[in-house]
Amino acid sequence: MTAPTLLQQLSSDDRWTSSVIRDLLVHARQPGVLSLAGGLPAVELLPSSAARSPPIDCSRSEVAWHCNTASRAASPSCGSCCSRDAPDVDRILVTAGSQQALDLVTRLAASPTETSTVVIEDPGYIGASQVFRSHGHQLVGIGVDADGLRVDELADHLAAGLRPRLCYVNPTFQNPTGATLSAERAQRLVELAETYDFLVVADDPYVELALDDRPAATPLPESPQVIRLGSMSKTLSPGLRIGWIDADPRLVAQLALVKQAADLHTSTFNQLLVADVMSDSTWWSAHLDGLRNGYRQRRAALRSAVDRHLPNAQVTPQGGGFFLWCDLGVDVDTLLPAALDHGVAFVPGAAFAIDQPANTSIRLSYSSGDQTQYDEAVRRLAAALAATTS
Ligand code: PMP
């Protein structure tokens, strides 16, 4: 037998797996299918060019040239796109969305000599598990309940000898469960990181989308062990690809070198556009209020459809973000094809599972799609469920 050619080897390299959600969205876009699967923002809630139309002068040197400091904030104003408070620019690296931030942190954290372990919420964000796996990290899933990561479970694993290099959390309105890490658990998590010397990667793209009267989550305590990731994708536009890392300056300097090798720098044009949009703080906070109002209505519409058509579903309590995590109490392994036949798409919980099965849960998104159709979408889902479980 002849050895496979390089092209054959590379084209069948299974370190690169496709996100289940991306594959699913192809079906979800078929005519007649109502989708509760995607996690993109509602386009009608994003600003139109009429709301603000910043004329960006492409001949301005900071737009035309790339940033010579290895993609650090391209200008002081870009730093301010990352935070409403004046940021310390040495702590900030602007990235192509928080997905690139995750990739850079993962590359930096990989041990050159051995397989490194990464702890992740279970169920956890698919884009994170995908990037950790693709770099050869070994994943350990730690359960999530309505107060976020089961930090007690993590403490038990650490006491038993687990030595991760990273612990990934999506602390506010987690994708997929909607859960928010409680202040006590956040405190304990950072203490554990300091005791056992691992880095906490706090990926927080939904933090601005608090939909209840409760105050937004308390951020993780300050510590050199904490790397915070942020994104403009949920509040302004995912297509702009603007996110950021906020971390200890020593880590940021290294991450800037990792990024230099990846893409030299994040689009300066887009950074300036974001900085310009956010420089009007009155407009920005009114925009965020508009988003919250819009998503509050969408969530209410989806929640009432679930209550009406899936009365036995256990919905994880959540205070915002994009998702409802529903435990249907029965194995839903075969529900997706049946649901597509009935004209509705959703994401099966199993897609987010790390070590613990999530076969009875599904993720429903209220972030996009026509909210007047949510009732019909969940009615179809309930019909598909009845057809597969009868
Ligand atoms: N983290 C989480 C938890 C997400 O849900 C998403 C978007 N689905 C991302 C990161 C990626 O966002 P970005 O567009 O900023 O790369």
Side-chain angles (χ1 to χ4, degrees):
M1 216 176 68
T2 51
T5 64
L6 181 58
L7 193 148
Q8 285 166 334
Q9 287 172 42
L10 297 182
S11 55
S12 58
D13 184 340
D14 61 9
R15 281 176 306 161
W16 309 105
T17 52
S18 175
S19 148
V20 178
I21 298 185
R22 285 213 172 202
D23 297 346
L24 180 61
L25 290 182
V26 175
H27 301 289
R29 277 194 290 267
Q30 298 300 315
V33 174
L34 301 173
S35 179
L36 301 172
L40 291 175
V43 274
E44 64 276 20
L45 297 178
L46 298 178
S48 67
S49 60
R52 280 185 66 83
S53 48
I56 300 283
D57 176 356
C58 293
S59 67
R60 271 164 64 180
S61 60
E62 64 273 39
V63 180
W65 299 338
H66 66 74
C67 207
N68 62 5
T69 50
S71 80
R72 307 296 289 280
S75 70
S77 58
C78 289
S80 65
C81 80
C82 307
S83 163
R84 278 145 307 161
D85 313 316
D88 173 354
V89 272
D90 289 344
R91 291 189 56 92
I92 303 292
L93 182 66
V94 178
T95 57
S98 60
Q99 191 65 31
Q100 187 190 37
L102 269 173
D103 183 66
L104 301 180
V105 170
T106 307
R107 283 169 198 262
L108 184 69
S111 157
T113 51
E114 58 198 39
T115 304
S116 338
T117 300
V118 173
V119 165
I120 179 168
E121 294 143 324
D122 193 0
Y125 170 51
I126 294 179
S129 52
Q130 201 181 17
V131 76
F132 297 139
R133 284 201 179 103
S134 71
H135 290 292
H137 293 277
Q138 189 199 324
L139 298 192
V140 173
I142 298 288
V144 177
D145 63 19
D147 286 328
L149 185 82
R150 291 278 312 272
V151 176
D152 56 334
E153 220 181 89
L154 174 60
D156 290 347
H157 278 75
L158 293 165
L162 179 74
R163 290 294 173 270
R165 284 164 86 91
L166 299 177
C167 172
Y168 170 85
V169 282
N170 174 197
T172 325
F173 318 134
Q174 193 230 7
N175 181 0
T177 65
T180 294
L181 189 68
S182 71
E184 301 79 68
R185 288 192 190 179
Q187 177 76 41
R188 181 83 185 109
L189 177 60
V190 174
E191 284 164 12
L192 290 173
E194 288 171 351
T195 307
Y196 291 97
D197 195 21
F198 59 87
L199 298 174
V200 177
V201 181
D203 178 20
D204 230 355
Y206 302 100
V207 68
E208 299 286 4
L209 300 178
L211 305 182
D212 294 335
D213 289 338
R214 280 178 279 156
T218 349
L220 266 77
E222 291 293 327
S223 162
Q225 306 293 123
V226 177
I227 301 179
R228 294 166 214 274
L229 312 184
S231 174
M232 301 308 296
S233 289
K234 314 300 170 190
T235 50
L236 194 56
S237 165
L240 283 171
R241 308 309 301 137
I242 297 289
W244 65 91
I245 297 172
D246 173 354
D248 184 284
R250 290 165 295 178
L251 281 176
V252 169
Q254 286 293 97
L255 288 163
L257 298 178
V258 181
K259 183 166 161 67
Q260 210 173 55
D263 68 356
L264 303 184
H265 70 104
T266 297
S267 159
T268 40
F269 183 91
N270 290 0
Q271 292 189 56
L272 285 166
L273 203 136
V274 170
D276 188 86
V277 167
M278 293 191 72
S279 63
D280 184 342
S281 55
T282 313
W283 180 86
W284 180 248
S285 67
H287 166 62
L288 290 180
D289 283 344
L291 283 184
R292 292 181 197 113
N293 283 336
Y295 288 123
R296 205 170 283 128
Q297 287 168 23
R298 290 171 154 273
R299 182 182 64 173
L302 184 58
R303 184 63 212 242
S304 71
V306 169
D307 290 347
R308 181 170 312 125
H309 300 293
L310 295 169
N312 297 327
Q314 301 272 352
V315 183
T316 299
Q318 54 91 290
F322 281 179
F323 309 111
L324 294 184
W325 180 251
C326 308
D327 188 339
L328 301 182
V330 288
D331 201 314
V332 291
D333 271 348
T334 57
L335 182 58
L336 183 58
L340 290 170
D341 284 347
H342 280 77
V344 61
F346 69 94
V347 186
F352 305 93
I354 310 293
D355 294 325
Q356 301 165 24
N359 291 15
T360 60
S361 294
I362 60 174
R363 190 195 77 176
L364 301 181
S365 163
Y366 53 82
S367 68
S368 51
D370 177 354
Q371 63 180 309
T372 64
Q373 299 282 320
Y374 285 171
D375 193 73
E376 172 60 14
V378 183
R379 190 197 64 73
R380 291 181 189 182
L381 187 57
L385 183 67
T388 50
T389 50
S390 59

PDB file of all heavy atoms in Angstrom, residues 96-100 102 125 168 170 175 203 205-206 230-231 233-234 238 241-242 323, ligand 1:
ATOM      1  N   ALA A  96      -9.428  40.080  16.335  1.00  0.00           N
ATOM      2  CA  ALA A  96     -10.513  39.865  15.359  1.00  0.00           C
ATOM      3  C   ALA A  96     -11.607  39.043  16.037  1.00  0.00           C
ATOM      4  O   ALA A  96     -11.697  37.832  15.881  1.00  0.00           O
ATOM      5  CB  ALA A  96      -9.973  39.145  14.132  1.00  0.00           C
ATOM      6  N   GLY A  97     -12.393  39.712  16.846  1.00  0.00           N
ATOM      7  CA  GLY A  97     -13.446  39.029  17.603  1.00  0.00           C
ATOM      8  C   GLY A  97     -12.852  38.289  18.791  1.00  0.00           C
ATOM      9  O   GLY A  97     -11.634  38.118  18.902  1.00  0.00           O
ATOM     10  N   SER A  98     -13.735  37.841  19.704  1.00  0.00           N
ATOM     11  CA  SER A  98     -13.181  37.124  20.857  1.00  0.00           C
ATOM     12  C   SER A  98     -12.754  35.718  20.455  1.00  0.00           C
ATOM     13  O   SER A  98     -11.976  35.077  21.145  1.00  0.00           O
ATOM     14  CB  SER A  98     -14.120  37.125  22.052  1.00  0.00           C
ATOM     15  OG  SER A  98     -15.317  36.523  21.754  1.00  0.00           O
ATOM     16  N   GLN A  99     -13.219  35.247  19.293  1.00  0.00           N
ATOM     17  CA  GLN A  99     -12.768  33.928  18.846  1.00  0.00           C
ATOM     18  C   GLN A  99     -11.258  33.950  18.582  1.00  0.00           C
ATOM     19  O   GLN A  99     -10.541  33.018  18.946  1.00  0.00           O
ATOM     20  CB  GLN A  99     -13.531  33.522  17.585  1.00  0.00           C
ATOM     21  CG  GLN A  99     -13.348  32.078  17.187  1.00  0.00           C
ATOM     22  CD  GLN A  99     -13.928  31.096  18.210  1.00  0.00           C
ATOM     23  OE1 GLN A  99     -14.908  31.394  18.884  1.00  0.00           O
ATOM     24  NE2 GLN A  99     -13.318  29.939  18.336  1.00  0.00           N
ATOM     25  N   GLN A 100     -10.766  35.028  17.978  1.00  0.00           N
ATOM     26  CA  GLN A 100      -9.316  35.078  17.768  1.00  0.00           C
ATOM     27  C   GLN A 100      -8.595  35.217  19.101  1.00  0.00           C
ATOM     28  O   GLN A 100      -7.518  34.639  19.298  1.00  0.00           O
ATOM     29  CB  GLN A 100      -8.910  36.244  16.851  1.00  0.00           C
ATOM     30  CG  GLN A 100      -7.418  36.137  16.542  1.00  0.00           C
ATOM     31  CD  GLN A 100      -6.814  37.336  15.850  1.00  0.00           C
ATOM     32  OE1 GLN A 100      -7.172  38.476  16.129  1.00  0.00           O
ATOM     33  NE2 GLN A 100      -5.882  37.071  14.945  1.00  0.00           N
ATOM     34  N   LEU A 102      -9.427  33.873  21.826  1.00  0.00           N
ATOM     35  CA  LEU A 102      -9.356  32.509  22.366  1.00  0.00           C
ATOM     36  C   LEU A 102      -8.235  31.716  21.703  1.00  0.00           C
ATOM     37  O   LEU A 102      -7.498  30.979  22.352  1.00  0.00           O
ATOM     38  CB  LEU A 102     -10.665  31.781  22.076  1.00  0.00           C
ATOM     39  CG  LEU A 102     -11.756  31.867  23.106  1.00  0.00           C
ATOM     40  CD1 LEU A 102     -13.022  31.240  22.562  1.00  0.00           C
ATOM     41  CD2 LEU A 102     -11.300  31.127  24.351  1.00  0.00           C
ATOM     42  N   TYR A 125     -19.221  26.381  25.466  1.00  0.00           N
ATOM     43  CA  TYR A 125     -19.257  27.066  24.165  1.00  0.00           C
ATOM     44  C   TYR A 125     -18.466  26.259  23.120  1.00  0.00           C
ATOM     45  O   TYR A 125     -17.281  25.970  23.315  1.00  0.00           O
ATOM     46  CB  TYR A 125     -18.684  28.479  24.346  1.00  0.00           C
ATOM     47  CG  TYR A 125     -18.435  29.201  23.051  1.00  0.00           C
ATOM     48  CD1 TYR A 125     -19.433  29.290  22.076  1.00  0.00           C
ATOM     49  CD2 TYR A 125     -17.206  29.798  22.788  1.00  0.00           C
ATOM     50  CE1 TYR A 125     -19.197  29.953  20.885  1.00  0.00           C
ATOM     51  CE2 TYR A 125     -16.973  30.467  21.603  1.00  0.00           C
ATOM     52  CZ  TYR A 125     -17.975  30.533  20.649  1.00  0.00           C
ATOM     53  OH  TYR A 125     -17.740  31.172  19.467  1.00  0.00           O
ATOM     54  N   TYR A 168     -11.508  27.817  31.184  1.00  0.00           N
ATOM     55  CA  TYR A 168     -12.332  28.703  30.360  1.00  0.00           C
ATOM     56  C   TYR A 168     -13.719  28.831  30.973  1.00  0.00           C
ATOM     57  O   TYR A 168     -14.367  27.820  31.253  1.00  0.00           O
ATOM     58  CB  TYR A 168     -12.450  28.118  28.942  1.00  0.00           C
ATOM     59  CG  TYR A 168     -13.479  28.835  28.105  1.00  0.00           C
ATOM     60  CD1 TYR A 168     -13.134  29.988  27.415  1.00  0.00           C
ATOM     61  CD2 TYR A 168     -14.788  28.388  28.043  1.00  0.00           C
ATOM     62  CE1 TYR A 168     -14.085  30.672  26.655  1.00  0.00           C
ATOM     63  CE2 TYR A 168     -15.747  29.069  27.287  1.00  0.00           C
ATOM     64  CZ  TYR A 168     -15.377  30.204  26.606  1.00  0.00           C
ATOM     65  OH  TYR A 168     -16.319  30.880  25.861  1.00  0.00           O
ATOM     66  N   ASN A 170     -17.472  31.251  30.503  1.00  0.00           N
ATOM     67  CA  ASN A 170     -18.264  32.299  29.858  1.00  0.00           C
ATOM     68  C   ASN A 170     -19.181  32.769  30.996  1.00  0.00           C
ATOM     69  O   ASN A 170     -20.260  32.248  31.188  1.00  0.00           O
ATOM     70  CB  ASN A 170     -19.018  31.656  28.679  1.00  0.00           C
ATOM     71  CG  ASN A 170     -20.006  32.554  27.986  1.00  0.00           C
ATOM     72  OD1 ASN A 170     -20.871  32.075  27.263  1.00  0.00           O
ATOM     73  ND2 ASN A 170     -19.909  33.844  28.185  1.00  0.00           N
ATOM     74  N   ASN A 175     -23.235  30.720  27.062  1.00  0.00           N
ATOM     75  CA  ASN A 175     -23.609  29.986  25.854  1.00  0.00           C
ATOM     76  C   ASN A 175     -23.169  28.545  26.079  1.00  0.00           C
ATOM     77  O   ASN A 175     -21.969  28.291  26.184  1.00  0.00           O
ATOM     78  CB  ASN A 175     -22.862  30.602  24.652  1.00  0.00           C
ATOM     79  CG  ASN A 175     -23.204  29.927  23.343  1.00  0.00           C
ATOM     80  OD1 ASN A 175     -23.999  29.002  23.299  1.00  0.00           O
ATOM     81  ND2 ASN A 175     -22.595  30.401  22.262  1.00  0.00           N
ATOM     82  N   ASP A 203     -14.539  34.763  29.166  1.00  0.00           N
ATOM     83  CA  ASP A 203     -15.005  35.198  27.843  1.00  0.00           C
ATOM     84  C   ASP A 203     -16.420  35.749  28.029  1.00  0.00           C
ATOM     85  O   ASP A 203     -17.339  35.002  28.339  1.00  0.00           O
ATOM     86  CB  ASP A 203     -14.990  33.949  26.940  1.00  0.00           C
ATOM     87  CG  ASP A 203     -15.484  34.214  25.535  1.00  0.00           C
ATOM     88  OD1 ASP A 203     -15.488  35.383  25.117  1.00  0.00           O
ATOM     89  OD2 ASP A 203     -15.849  33.244  24.843  1.00  0.00           O
ATOM     90  N   PRO A 205     -18.885  37.894  26.076  1.00  0.00           N
ATOM     91  CA  PRO A 205     -19.484  38.713  25.020  1.00  0.00           C
ATOM     92  C   PRO A 205     -20.924  39.151  25.289  1.00  0.00           C
ATOM     93  O   PRO A 205     -21.422  40.059  24.629  1.00  0.00           O
ATOM     94  CB  PRO A 205     -19.426  37.797  23.786  1.00  0.00           C
ATOM     95  CG  PRO A 205     -19.389  36.414  24.319  1.00  0.00           C
ATOM     96  CD  PRO A 205     -18.663  36.501  25.631  1.00  0.00           C
ATOM     97  N   TYR A 206     -21.604  38.502  26.265  1.00  0.00           N
ATOM     98  CA  TYR A 206     -23.035  38.821  26.483  1.00  0.00           C
ATOM     99  C   TYR A 206     -23.254  39.751  27.675  1.00  0.00           C
ATOM    100  O   TYR A 206     -24.398  40.020  28.028  1.00  0.00           O
ATOM    101  CB  TYR A 206     -23.836  37.524  26.711  1.00  0.00           C
ATOM    102  CG  TYR A 206     -23.705  36.567  25.551  1.00  0.00           C
ATOM    103  CD1 TYR A 206     -22.835  35.481  25.608  1.00  0.00           C
ATOM    104  CD2 TYR A 206     -24.427  36.769  24.377  1.00  0.00           C
ATOM    105  CE1 TYR A 206     -22.687  34.621  24.527  1.00  0.00           C
ATOM    106  CE2 TYR A 206     -24.285  35.918  23.296  1.00  0.00           C
ATOM    107  CZ  TYR A 206     -23.420  34.851  23.376  1.00  0.00           C
ATOM    108  OH  TYR A 206     -23.273  34.012  22.304  1.00  0.00           O
ATOM    109  N   GLY A 230     -13.454  40.265  25.510  1.00  0.00           N
ATOM    110  CA  GLY A 230     -14.689  40.981  25.200  1.00  0.00           C
ATOM    111  C   GLY A 230     -14.896  41.041  23.703  1.00  0.00           C
ATOM    112  O   GLY A 230     -14.005  40.699  22.917  1.00  0.00           O
ATOM    113  N   SER A 231     -16.083  41.477  23.304  1.00  0.00           N
ATOM    114  CA  SER A 231     -16.414  41.466  21.882  1.00  0.00           C
ATOM    115  C   SER A 231     -17.459  42.532  21.566  1.00  0.00           C
ATOM    116  O   SER A 231     -18.332  42.827  22.392  1.00  0.00           O
ATOM    117  CB  SER A 231     -16.996  40.096  21.525  1.00  0.00           C
ATOM    118  OG  SER A 231     -17.458  40.096  20.204  1.00  0.00           O
ATOM    119  N   SER A 233     -19.292  41.890  18.983  1.00  0.00           N
ATOM    120  CA  SER A 233     -20.146  41.126  18.065  1.00  0.00           C
ATOM    121  C   SER A 233     -21.607  41.086  18.476  1.00  0.00           C
ATOM    122  O   SER A 233     -22.484  40.985  17.625  1.00  0.00           O
ATOM    123  CB  SER A 233     -19.633  39.691  17.936  1.00  0.00           C
ATOM    124  OG  SER A 233     -18.437  39.667  17.207  1.00  0.00           O
ATOM    125  N   LYS A 234     -21.894  41.124  19.775  1.00  0.00           N
ATOM    126  CA  LYS A 234     -23.297  41.015  20.195  1.00  0.00           C
ATOM    127  C   LYS A 234     -23.942  42.387  20.312  1.00  0.00           C
ATOM    128  O   LYS A 234     -25.164  42.493  20.340  1.00  0.00           O
ATOM    129  CB  LYS A 234     -23.412  40.285  21.541  1.00  0.00           C
ATOM    130  CG  LYS A 234     -22.587  39.018  21.648  1.00  0.00           C
ATOM    131  CD  LYS A 234     -22.962  37.974  20.617  1.00  0.00           C
ATOM    132  CE  LYS A 234     -21.936  36.846  20.617  1.00  0.00           C
ATOM    133  NZ  LYS A 234     -22.108  35.928  19.489  1.00  0.00           N
ATOM    134  N   PRO A 238     -21.270  41.451  14.429  1.00  0.00           N
ATOM    135  CA  PRO A 238     -20.285  40.368  14.389  1.00  0.00           C
ATOM    136  C   PRO A 238     -19.369  40.470  13.170  1.00  0.00           C
ATOM    137  O   PRO A 238     -18.219  40.044  13.199  1.00  0.00           O
ATOM    138  CB  PRO A 238     -21.124  39.092  14.337  1.00  0.00           C
ATOM    139  CG  PRO A 238     -22.528  39.508  14.057  1.00  0.00           C
ATOM    140  CD  PRO A 238     -22.649  40.979  14.321  1.00  0.00           C
ATOM    141  N   ARG A 241     -15.726  42.078  13.291  1.00  0.00           N
ATOM    142  CA  ARG A 241     -14.643  41.276  13.866  1.00  0.00           C
ATOM    143  C   ARG A 241     -13.785  42.123  14.815  1.00  0.00           C
ATOM    144  O   ARG A 241     -12.567  42.225  14.637  1.00  0.00           O
ATOM    145  CB  ARG A 241     -13.760  40.616  12.789  1.00  0.00           C
ATOM    146  CG  ARG A 241     -14.468  39.813  11.729  1.00  0.00           C
ATOM    147  CD  ARG A 241     -15.448  38.785  12.284  1.00  0.00           C
ATOM    148  NE  ARG A 241     -14.839  37.804  13.178  1.00  0.00           N
ATOM    149  CZ  ARG A 241     -15.404  37.416  14.328  1.00  0.00           C
ATOM    150  NH1 ARG A 241     -16.571  37.905  14.718  1.00  0.00           N
ATOM    151  NH2 ARG A 241     -14.820  36.529  15.079  1.00  0.00           N
ATOM    152  N   ILE A 242     -14.392  42.726  15.788  1.00  0.00           N
ATOM    153  CA  ILE A 242     -13.624  43.458  16.789  1.00  0.00           C
ATOM    154  C   ILE A 242     -13.921  42.865  18.172  1.00  0.00           C
ATOM    155  O   ILE A 242     -15.059  42.828  18.623  1.00  0.00           O
ATOM    156  CB  ILE A 242     -13.957  44.976  16.797  1.00  0.00           C
ATOM    157  CG1 ILE A 242     -13.582  45.636  15.464  1.00  0.00           C
ATOM    158  CG2 ILE A 242     -13.226  45.671  17.966  1.00  0.00           C
ATOM    159  CD1 ILE A 242     -12.104  45.790  15.177  1.00  0.00           C
ATOM    160  N   PHE A 323     -29.907  32.922  24.891  1.00  0.00           N
ATOM    161  CA  PHE A 323     -30.340  31.531  24.806  1.00  0.00           C
ATOM    162  C   PHE A 323     -31.237  31.068  25.957  1.00  0.00           C
ATOM    163  O   PHE A 323     -31.088  31.510  27.089  1.00  0.00           O
ATOM    164  CB  PHE A 323     -29.110  30.602  24.778  1.00  0.00           C
ATOM    165  CG  PHE A 323     -28.104  31.007  23.737  1.00  0.00           C
ATOM    166  CD1 PHE A 323     -26.871  31.531  24.106  1.00  0.00           C
ATOM    167  CD2 PHE A 323     -28.406  30.903  22.385  1.00  0.00           C
ATOM    168  CE1 PHE A 323     -25.948  31.921  23.147  1.00  0.00           C
ATOM    169  CE2 PHE A 323     -27.491  31.291  21.408  1.00  0.00           C
ATOM    170  CZ  PHE A 323     -26.261  31.802  21.791  1.00  0.00           C
TER     171      PHE A 323
HETATM  172  N1  PMP B   1     -17.567  33.466  22.994  1.00  0.00           N
HETATM  173  C1  PMP B   1     -18.841  33.124  23.125  1.00  0.00           C
HETATM  174  C2  PMP B   1     -19.304  32.586  24.434  1.00  0.00           C
HETATM  175  C3  PMP B   1     -19.732  33.237  22.046  1.00  0.00           C
HETATM  176  O1  PMP B   1     -21.012  32.848  22.193  1.00  0.00           O
HETATM  177  C4  PMP B   1     -19.261  33.761  20.828  1.00  0.00           C
HETATM  178  C5  PMP B   1     -20.163  33.925  19.633  1.00  0.00           C
HETATM  179  N2  PMP B   1     -20.969  32.860  19.369  1.00  0.00           N
HETATM  180  C6  PMP B   1     -17.906  34.108  20.741  1.00  0.00           C
HETATM  181  C7  PMP B   1     -17.092  33.970  21.844  1.00  0.00           C
HETATM  182  C8  PMP B   1     -17.298  34.604  19.464  1.00  0.00           C
HETATM  183  O2  PMP B   1     -17.565  35.953  19.291  1.00  0.00           O
HETATM  184  P1  PMP B   1     -16.761  36.855  18.273  1.00  0.00           P
HETATM  185  O3  PMP B   1     -17.691  37.164  17.160  1.00  0.00           O
HETATM  186  O4  PMP B   1     -16.378  38.053  19.065  1.00  0.00           O
HETATM  187  O5  PMP B   1     -15.561  36.111  17.804  1.00  0.00           O
END
